[in-house]
Short mmCIF file of all heavy atoms in Angstrom, two decimals:
data_model
loop_
_atom_site.label_atom_id
_atom_site.label_comp_id
_atom_site.label_asym_id
_atom_site.label_seq_id
_atom_site.Cartn_x
_atom_site.Cartn_y
_atom_site.Cartn_z
N GLN A 165 -11.54 21.90 -13.03
CA GLN A 165 -11.95 22.36 -14.35
C GLN A 165 -10.70 22.65 -15.19
O GLN A 165 -9.62 22.90 -14.64
CB GLN A 165 -12.82 23.61 -14.23
CG GLN A 165 -14.09 23.37 -13.43
CD GLN A 165 -15.05 24.53 -13.56
OE1 GLN A 165 -15.51 24.88 -14.64
NE2 GLN A 165 -15.35 25.16 -12.43
N VAL A 166 -10.87 22.64 -16.49
CA VAL A 166 -9.71 22.80 -17.38
C VAL A 166 -10.00 23.87 -18.44
O VAL A 166 -11.06 23.88 -19.07
CB VAL A 166 -9.35 21.46 -18.06
CG1 VAL A 166 -8.37 21.67 -19.20
CG2 VAL A 166 -8.75 20.49 -17.04
N PHE A 167 -9.05 24.80 -18.58
CA PHE A 167 -9.04 25.79 -19.65
C PHE A 167 -8.19 25.26 -20.80
O PHE A 167 -7.17 24.61 -20.58
CB PHE A 167 -8.41 27.11 -19.18
CG PHE A 167 -9.18 27.85 -18.14
CD1 PHE A 167 -9.06 27.53 -16.80
CD2 PHE A 167 -10.01 28.91 -18.49
CE1 PHE A 167 -9.74 28.23 -15.82
CE2 PHE A 167 -10.70 29.62 -17.53
CZ PHE A 167 -10.57 29.28 -16.19
N ASN A 168 -8.57 25.57 -22.02
CA ASN A 168 -7.69 25.37 -23.17
C ASN A 168 -6.77 26.58 -23.26
O ASN A 168 -7.19 27.72 -23.08
CB ASN A 168 -8.50 25.20 -24.45
CG ASN A 168 -9.28 23.91 -24.45
OD1 ASN A 168 -8.79 22.88 -24.03
ND2 ASN A 168 -10.52 23.96 -24.92
N TYR A 169 -5.50 26.31 -23.55
CA TYR A 169 -4.49 27.38 -23.59
C TYR A 169 -3.72 27.30 -24.89
O TYR A 169 -3.09 26.28 -25.20
CB TYR A 169 -3.54 27.23 -22.39
CG TYR A 169 -2.40 28.21 -22.36
CD1 TYR A 169 -2.63 29.58 -22.30
CD2 TYR A 169 -1.08 27.76 -22.37
CE1 TYR A 169 -1.58 30.48 -22.25
CE2 TYR A 169 -0.02 28.65 -22.32
CZ TYR A 169 -0.27 30.01 -22.26
OH TYR A 169 0.78 30.90 -22.22
N GLU A 170 -3.76 28.38 -25.67
CA GLU A 170 -3.01 28.46 -26.92
C GLU A 170 -1.66 29.10 -26.63
O GLU A 170 -1.58 30.30 -26.35
CB GLU A 170 -3.78 29.26 -27.96
CG GLU A 170 -5.11 28.61 -28.37
CD GLU A 170 -5.85 29.42 -29.41
OE1 GLU A 170 -5.22 30.31 -30.04
OE2 GLU A 170 -7.06 29.18 -29.59
N THR A 171 -0.62 28.30 -26.69
CA THR A 171 0.71 28.76 -26.27
C THR A 171 1.19 29.96 -27.09
O THR A 171 1.77 30.91 -26.54
CB THR A 171 1.73 27.61 -26.39
OG1 THR A 171 1.24 26.48 -25.68
CG2 THR A 171 3.07 28.02 -25.80
N GLN A 172 0.96 29.94 -28.39
CA GLN A 172 1.47 31.01 -29.24
C GLN A 172 0.77 32.33 -29.00
O GLN A 172 1.41 33.37 -28.83
CB GLN A 172 1.32 30.61 -30.73
CG GLN A 172 2.18 29.42 -31.13
CD GLN A 172 3.66 29.67 -30.95
OE1 GLN A 172 4.16 30.76 -31.24
NE2 GLN A 172 4.36 28.67 -30.42
N SER A 173 -0.56 32.29 -28.95
CA SER A 173 -1.33 33.52 -28.78
C SER A 173 -1.57 33.89 -27.33
O SER A 173 -1.85 35.04 -27.00
CB SER A 173 -2.69 33.39 -29.48
OG SER A 173 -3.49 32.40 -28.85
N GLY A 174 -1.49 32.88 -26.45
CA GLY A 174 -1.79 33.11 -25.05
C GLY A 174 -3.26 33.12 -24.72
O GLY A 174 -3.65 33.40 -23.57
N VAL A 175 -4.11 32.79 -25.68
CA VAL A 175 -5.56 32.83 -25.47
C VAL A 175 -6.00 31.67 -24.59
O VAL A 175 -5.59 30.52 -24.78
CB VAL A 175 -6.30 32.77 -26.83
CG1 VAL A 175 -7.81 32.60 -26.62
CG2 VAL A 175 -6.02 34.03 -27.64
N LEU A 176 -6.84 31.98 -23.62
CA LEU A 176 -7.45 30.98 -22.74
C LEU A 176 -8.94 30.88 -23.05
O LEU A 176 -9.60 31.90 -23.22
CB LEU A 176 -7.28 31.38 -21.27
CG LEU A 176 -5.95 31.09 -20.60
CD1 LEU A 176 -5.86 31.84 -19.27
CD2 LEU A 176 -5.78 29.61 -20.37
N SER A 177 -9.46 29.66 -23.10
CA SER A 177 -10.90 29.46 -23.29
C SER A 177 -11.39 28.39 -22.34
O SER A 177 -10.67 27.48 -21.98
CB SER A 177 -11.19 29.05 -24.74
OG SER A 177 -10.50 27.86 -25.09
N GLY A 178 -12.64 28.50 -21.94
CA GLY A 178 -13.21 27.57 -20.97
C GLY A 178 -13.60 28.35 -19.73
O GLY A 178 -13.86 29.56 -19.81
N PRO A 179 -13.67 27.68 -18.56
CA PRO A 179 -13.24 26.30 -18.32
C PRO A 179 -14.34 25.28 -18.56
O PRO A 179 -15.52 25.63 -18.64
CB PRO A 179 -12.86 26.33 -16.84
CG PRO A 179 -13.84 27.31 -16.24
CD PRO A 179 -14.04 28.36 -17.30
N ASN A 180 -13.93 24.01 -18.61
CA ASN A 180 -14.85 22.89 -18.75
C ASN A 180 -14.57 21.85 -17.67
O ASN A 180 -13.43 21.69 -17.23
CB ASN A 180 -14.68 22.24 -20.14
CG ASN A 180 -15.02 23.20 -21.26
OD1 ASN A 180 -16.11 23.74 -21.32
ND2 ASN A 180 -14.06 23.44 -22.13
N PRO A 181 -15.60 21.13 -17.21
CA PRO A 181 -15.40 20.11 -16.17
C PRO A 181 -14.41 19.04 -16.62
O PRO A 181 -14.39 18.64 -17.78
CB PRO A 181 -16.80 19.52 -15.99
CG PRO A 181 -17.74 20.56 -16.49
CD PRO A 181 -17.01 21.24 -17.61
N TYR A 182 -13.58 18.59 -15.67
CA TYR A 182 -12.57 17.60 -16.01
C TYR A 182 -12.56 16.42 -15.05
O TYR A 182 -12.53 15.27 -15.47
CB TYR A 182 -11.19 18.27 -16.00
CG TYR A 182 -10.05 17.35 -16.41
CD1 TYR A 182 -9.89 16.97 -17.73
CD2 TYR A 182 -9.16 16.88 -15.45
CE1 TYR A 182 -8.84 16.12 -18.11
CE2 TYR A 182 -8.11 16.04 -15.82
CZ TYR A 182 -7.96 15.66 -17.15
OH TYR A 182 -6.95 14.82 -17.51
N ALA A 183 -12.58 16.69 -13.75
CA ALA A 183 -12.52 15.62 -12.76
C ALA A 183 -13.30 16.05 -11.52
O ALA A 183 -13.48 17.24 -11.26
CB ALA A 183 -11.07 15.30 -12.38
N TYR A 184 -13.74 15.05 -10.76
CA TYR A 184 -14.53 15.33 -9.56
C TYR A 184 -14.05 14.44 -8.42
O TYR A 184 -13.70 13.28 -8.63
CB TYR A 184 -16.03 15.07 -9.82
CG TYR A 184 -16.89 15.28 -8.60
CD1 TYR A 184 -17.22 16.57 -8.19
CD2 TYR A 184 -17.34 14.20 -7.85
CE1 TYR A 184 -17.98 16.77 -7.04
CE2 TYR A 184 -18.10 14.40 -6.70
CZ TYR A 184 -18.43 15.69 -6.31
OH TYR A 184 -19.17 15.89 -5.18
N PHE A 185 -14.06 15.03 -7.20
CA PHE A 185 -13.74 14.27 -6.00
C PHE A 185 -14.80 14.59 -4.96
O PHE A 185 -15.11 15.77 -4.72
CB PHE A 185 -12.36 14.63 -5.47
CG PHE A 185 -11.87 13.71 -4.39
CD1 PHE A 185 -11.28 12.50 -4.71
CD2 PHE A 185 -12.03 14.03 -3.04
CE1 PHE A 185 -10.85 11.63 -3.72
CE2 PHE A 185 -11.59 13.18 -2.05
CZ PHE A 185 -11.00 11.96 -2.39
N PRO A 186 -15.40 13.57 -4.32
CA PRO A 186 -16.49 13.82 -3.36
C PRO A 186 -16.04 14.72 -2.21
O PRO A 186 -15.04 14.45 -1.54
CB PRO A 186 -16.83 12.42 -2.85
CG PRO A 186 -16.32 11.48 -3.91
CD PRO A 186 -15.11 12.14 -4.48
N THR A 187 -16.76 15.81 -1.98
CA THR A 187 -16.36 16.78 -0.97
C THR A 187 -16.45 16.22 0.45
O THR A 187 -15.80 16.75 1.36
CB THR A 187 -17.20 18.06 -1.08
OG1 THR A 187 -18.59 17.71 -0.99
CG2 THR A 187 -16.93 18.77 -2.40
N ASP A 188 -17.24 15.17 0.65
CA ASP A 188 -17.30 14.58 1.99
C ASP A 188 -16.09 13.71 2.29
O ASP A 188 -15.92 13.23 3.42
CB ASP A 188 -18.59 13.79 2.18
CG ASP A 188 -18.72 12.61 1.22
OD1 ASP A 188 -17.88 12.49 0.30
OD2 ASP A 188 -19.66 11.81 1.39
N GLN A 189 -15.22 13.52 1.30
CA GLN A 189 -13.99 12.76 1.49
C GLN A 189 -12.75 13.66 1.48
O GLN A 189 -11.62 13.18 1.56
CB GLN A 189 -13.87 11.69 0.41
CG GLN A 189 -14.97 10.64 0.46
CD GLN A 189 -14.84 9.60 -0.62
OE1 GLN A 189 -13.73 9.22 -1.00
NE2 GLN A 189 -15.96 9.14 -1.15
N GLY A 190 -12.97 14.96 1.36
CA GLY A 190 -11.87 15.92 1.34
C GLY A 190 -12.09 16.96 0.27
O GLY A 190 -12.67 16.65 -0.79
N LEU A 191 -11.63 18.18 0.51
CA LEU A 191 -11.72 19.25 -0.47
C LEU A 191 -10.41 19.34 -1.25
O LEU A 191 -9.33 19.34 -0.65
CB LEU A 191 -11.99 20.59 0.21
CG LEU A 191 -13.33 20.77 0.92
CD1 LEU A 191 -13.42 22.17 1.50
CD2 LEU A 191 -14.50 20.52 -0.03
N ILE A 192 -10.50 19.45 -2.56
CA ILE A 192 -9.30 19.61 -3.38
C ILE A 192 -8.69 20.98 -3.08
O ILE A 192 -9.34 22.01 -3.20
CB ILE A 192 -9.62 19.49 -4.87
CG1 ILE A 192 -10.16 18.08 -5.17
CG2 ILE A 192 -8.38 19.77 -5.71
CD1 ILE A 192 -10.62 17.91 -6.61
N ASP A 193 -7.44 20.98 -2.66
CA ASP A 193 -6.72 22.21 -2.32
C ASP A 193 -5.70 22.47 -3.44
O ASP A 193 -6.07 22.61 -4.59
CB ASP A 193 -6.07 22.05 -0.95
CG ASP A 193 -5.69 23.37 -0.31
OD1 ASP A 193 -5.21 24.26 -1.02
OD2 ASP A 193 -5.85 23.51 0.91
N GLY A 194 -4.40 22.50 -3.12
CA GLY A 194 -3.39 22.72 -4.16
C GLY A 194 -3.27 21.50 -5.07
O GLY A 194 -3.53 20.38 -4.66
N ILE A 195 -2.87 21.74 -6.31
CA ILE A 195 -2.71 20.67 -7.28
C ILE A 195 -1.39 20.85 -8.02
O ILE A 195 -0.80 21.93 -8.05
CB ILE A 195 -3.86 20.60 -8.30
CG1 ILE A 195 -3.91 21.87 -9.16
CG2 ILE A 195 -5.19 20.38 -7.62
CD1 ILE A 195 -4.94 21.81 -10.30
N CYS A 196 -0.92 19.75 -8.63
CA CYS A 196 0.21 19.82 -9.55
C CYS A 196 0.00 18.78 -10.63
O CYS A 196 -0.82 17.86 -10.48
CB CYS A 196 1.55 19.61 -8.84
SG CYS A 196 1.83 17.95 -8.20
N ALA A 197 0.71 18.93 -11.73
CA ALA A 197 0.57 18.02 -12.86
C ALA A 197 1.87 17.27 -13.08
O ALA A 197 2.95 17.73 -12.69
CB ALA A 197 0.19 18.80 -14.12
N ASP A 198 1.77 16.10 -13.73
CA ASP A 198 2.98 15.34 -14.07
C ASP A 198 3.12 15.21 -15.58
O ASP A 198 2.21 15.53 -16.35
CB ASP A 198 2.99 13.97 -13.38
CG ASP A 198 1.82 13.07 -13.78
OD1 ASP A 198 1.48 13.02 -14.98
OD2 ASP A 198 1.26 12.39 -12.89
N ALA A 199 4.29 14.74 -16.02
CA ALA A 199 4.60 14.67 -17.45
C ALA A 199 3.82 13.56 -18.15
O ALA A 199 3.77 13.53 -19.39
CB ALA A 199 6.10 14.44 -17.64
N GLU A 200 3.19 12.67 -17.38
CA GLU A 200 2.41 11.58 -17.96
C GLU A 200 0.96 11.97 -18.20
O GLU A 200 0.16 11.15 -18.64
CB GLU A 200 2.48 10.35 -17.03
CG GLU A 200 3.83 9.68 -16.99
CD GLU A 200 4.90 10.48 -16.27
OE1 GLU A 200 4.57 11.18 -15.28
OE2 GLU A 200 6.08 10.43 -16.69
N GLY A 201 0.60 13.21 -17.89
CA GLY A 201 -0.76 13.69 -18.14
C GLY A 201 -1.65 13.64 -16.92
O GLY A 201 -2.85 13.95 -17.01
N GLY A 202 -1.11 13.26 -15.76
CA GLY A 202 -1.90 13.16 -14.55
C GLY A 202 -1.95 14.44 -13.76
O GLY A 202 -1.18 15.38 -13.98
N ILE A 203 -2.89 14.49 -12.80
CA ILE A 203 -3.02 15.59 -11.86
C ILE A 203 -3.01 15.01 -10.45
O ILE A 203 -3.68 14.00 -10.17
CB ILE A 203 -4.34 16.37 -12.08
CG1 ILE A 203 -4.34 17.04 -13.46
CG2 ILE A 203 -4.55 17.41 -10.99
CD1 ILE A 203 -5.66 17.71 -13.81
N TRP A 204 -2.25 15.65 -9.57
CA TRP A 204 -2.18 15.27 -8.16
C TRP A 204 -2.81 16.38 -7.33
O TRP A 204 -2.50 17.56 -7.53
CB TRP A 204 -0.73 15.05 -7.75
CG TRP A 204 -0.06 13.94 -8.52
CD1 TRP A 204 0.40 14.01 -9.82
CD2 TRP A 204 0.17 12.61 -8.08
NE1 TRP A 204 0.92 12.80 -10.20
CE2 TRP A 204 0.80 11.91 -9.14
CE3 TRP A 204 -0.06 11.93 -6.89
CZ2 TRP A 204 1.18 10.58 -9.06
CZ3 TRP A 204 0.32 10.60 -6.78
CH2 TRP A 204 0.93 9.93 -7.86
N ALA A 205 -3.71 16.01 -6.41
CA ALA A 205 -4.47 17.00 -5.66
C ALA A 205 -4.33 16.77 -4.16
O ALA A 205 -4.59 15.66 -3.67
CB ALA A 205 -5.93 16.93 -6.05
N ALA A 206 -3.93 17.80 -3.43
CA ALA A 206 -3.91 17.76 -1.97
C ALA A 206 -5.35 17.81 -1.47
O ALA A 206 -6.18 18.57 -2.00
CB ALA A 206 -3.10 18.95 -1.42
N LEU A 207 -5.64 17.05 -0.43
CA LEU A 207 -7.01 16.92 0.07
C LEU A 207 -7.14 17.50 1.48
O LEU A 207 -6.71 16.90 2.46
CB LEU A 207 -7.44 15.45 0.06
CG LEU A 207 -7.44 14.76 -1.30
CD1 LEU A 207 -7.76 13.29 -1.15
CD2 LEU A 207 -8.41 15.44 -2.26
N TRP A 208 -7.71 18.69 1.56
CA TRP A 208 -7.99 19.31 2.85
C TRP A 208 -9.10 18.52 3.54
O TRP A 208 -10.13 18.23 2.93
CB TRP A 208 -8.43 20.76 2.63
CG TRP A 208 -8.75 21.51 3.89
CD1 TRP A 208 -9.98 21.68 4.44
CD2 TRP A 208 -7.83 22.20 4.73
NE1 TRP A 208 -9.90 22.44 5.58
CE2 TRP A 208 -8.59 22.77 5.79
CE3 TRP A 208 -6.44 22.39 4.71
CZ2 TRP A 208 -8.00 23.53 6.80
CZ3 TRP A 208 -5.86 23.15 5.72
CH2 TRP A 208 -6.64 23.70 6.74
N ARG A 209 -8.88 18.15 4.76
CA ARG A 209 -9.77 17.26 5.53
C ARG A 209 -9.87 15.88 4.88
O ARG A 209 -10.80 15.14 5.16
CB ARG A 209 -11.18 17.85 5.68
CG ARG A 209 -11.25 19.14 6.48
CD ARG A 209 -12.64 19.40 7.05
NE ARG A 209 -13.69 19.27 6.08
CZ ARG A 209 -14.24 20.28 5.43
NH1 ARG A 209 -13.83 21.52 5.66
NH2 ARG A 209 -15.19 20.10 4.57
N GLY A 210 -8.90 15.53 4.06
CA GLY A 210 -8.92 14.25 3.37
C GLY A 210 -7.73 13.34 3.68
O GLY A 210 -7.67 12.23 3.18
N SER A 211 -6.76 13.85 4.45
CA SER A 211 -5.62 13.05 4.92
C SER A 211 -4.86 12.36 3.80
O SER A 211 -4.47 11.20 3.92
CB SER A 211 -6.10 11.99 5.93
OG SER A 211 -6.73 12.58 7.03
N GLY A 212 -4.66 13.06 2.67
CA GLY A 212 -3.91 12.43 1.60
C GLY A 212 -3.91 13.24 0.32
O GLY A 212 -4.30 14.42 0.30
N VAL A 213 -3.47 12.60 -0.75
CA VAL A 213 -3.48 13.21 -2.08
C VAL A 213 -4.22 12.27 -3.05
O VAL A 213 -4.11 11.04 -2.94
CB VAL A 213 -2.06 13.50 -2.61
CG1 VAL A 213 -1.38 14.59 -1.79
CG2 VAL A 213 -1.21 12.24 -2.62
N ALA A 214 -4.97 12.87 -3.96
CA ALA A 214 -5.67 12.12 -4.99
C ALA A 214 -4.90 12.24 -6.29
O ALA A 214 -4.38 13.30 -6.62
CB ALA A 214 -7.09 12.65 -5.16
N HIS A 215 -4.84 11.14 -7.04
CA HIS A 215 -4.15 11.11 -8.33
C HIS A 215 -5.18 10.81 -9.41
O HIS A 215 -5.84 9.78 -9.39
CB HIS A 215 -3.07 10.03 -8.32
CG HIS A 215 -2.35 9.85 -9.61
ND1 HIS A 215 -1.70 8.69 -9.96
CD2 HIS A 215 -2.17 10.71 -10.67
CE1 HIS A 215 -1.17 8.83 -11.16
NE2 HIS A 215 -1.44 10.04 -11.60
N PHE A 216 -5.33 11.76 -10.33
CA PHE A 216 -6.24 11.61 -11.47
C PHE A 216 -5.43 11.31 -12.72
O PHE A 216 -4.38 11.92 -12.96
CB PHE A 216 -7.06 12.89 -11.68
CG PHE A 216 -7.93 13.25 -10.50
CD1 PHE A 216 -7.43 14.06 -9.48
CD2 PHE A 216 -9.22 12.77 -10.41
CE1 PHE A 216 -8.22 14.40 -8.39
CE2 PHE A 216 -10.02 13.10 -9.32
CZ PHE A 216 -9.52 13.92 -8.31
N GLY A 217 -5.91 10.38 -13.53
CA GLY A 217 -5.24 10.03 -14.77
C GLY A 217 -5.48 11.06 -15.86
O GLY A 217 -6.23 12.02 -15.69
N PRO A 218 -4.85 10.87 -17.04
CA PRO A 218 -4.98 11.82 -18.15
C PRO A 218 -6.42 12.03 -18.64
O PRO A 218 -6.72 13.06 -19.23
CB PRO A 218 -4.12 11.19 -19.25
CG PRO A 218 -3.15 10.32 -18.53
CD PRO A 218 -3.90 9.79 -17.35
N ASN A 219 -7.29 11.08 -18.37
CA ASN A 219 -8.69 11.21 -18.78
C ASN A 219 -9.57 11.82 -17.70
O ASN A 219 -10.79 11.91 -17.86
CB ASN A 219 -9.24 9.84 -19.18
CG ASN A 219 -9.12 8.82 -18.05
OD1 ASN A 219 -8.68 9.15 -16.96
ND2 ASN A 219 -9.51 7.59 -18.34
N GLY A 220 -8.97 12.25 -16.59
CA GLY A 220 -9.73 12.86 -15.51
C GLY A 220 -10.31 11.87 -14.53
O GLY A 220 -10.93 12.27 -13.54
N LYS A 221 -10.12 10.59 -14.76
CA LYS A 221 -10.64 9.57 -13.86
C LYS A 221 -9.73 9.43 -12.64
O LYS A 221 -8.51 9.48 -12.75
CB LYS A 221 -10.76 8.22 -14.57
CG LYS A 221 -11.69 8.23 -15.79
CD LYS A 221 -13.12 8.51 -15.39
CE LYS A 221 -14.05 8.44 -16.61
NZ LYS A 221 -15.46 8.80 -16.25
N LEU A 222 -10.35 9.23 -11.47
CA LEU A 222 -9.58 9.04 -10.25
C LEU A 222 -8.81 7.75 -10.33
O LEU A 222 -9.38 6.67 -10.50
CB LEU A 222 -10.52 9.03 -9.04
CG LEU A 222 -9.84 8.86 -7.67
CD1 LEU A 222 -8.93 10.03 -7.36
CD2 LEU A 222 -10.90 8.69 -6.58
#
Side-chain angles (χ1 to χ4, degrees):
Q165 300 191 61
V166 168
F167 293 83
N168 292 319
Y169 176 60
E170 296 180 16
T171 307
Q172 294 299 319
S173 66
V175 172
L176 279 167
S177 59
N180 297 303
Y182 183 73
Y184 177 78
F185 191 82
T187 55
D188 62 352
Q189 297 179 35
L191 294 181
I192 298 174
D193 199 320
I195 64 174
C196 68
D198 61 42
E200 290 71 35
I203 296 175
W204 299 76
L207 300 175
W208 180 265
R209 296 202 311 262
S211 301
V213 293
H215 177 203
F216 299 89
N219 57 3
K221 300 296 183 183
L222 181 63

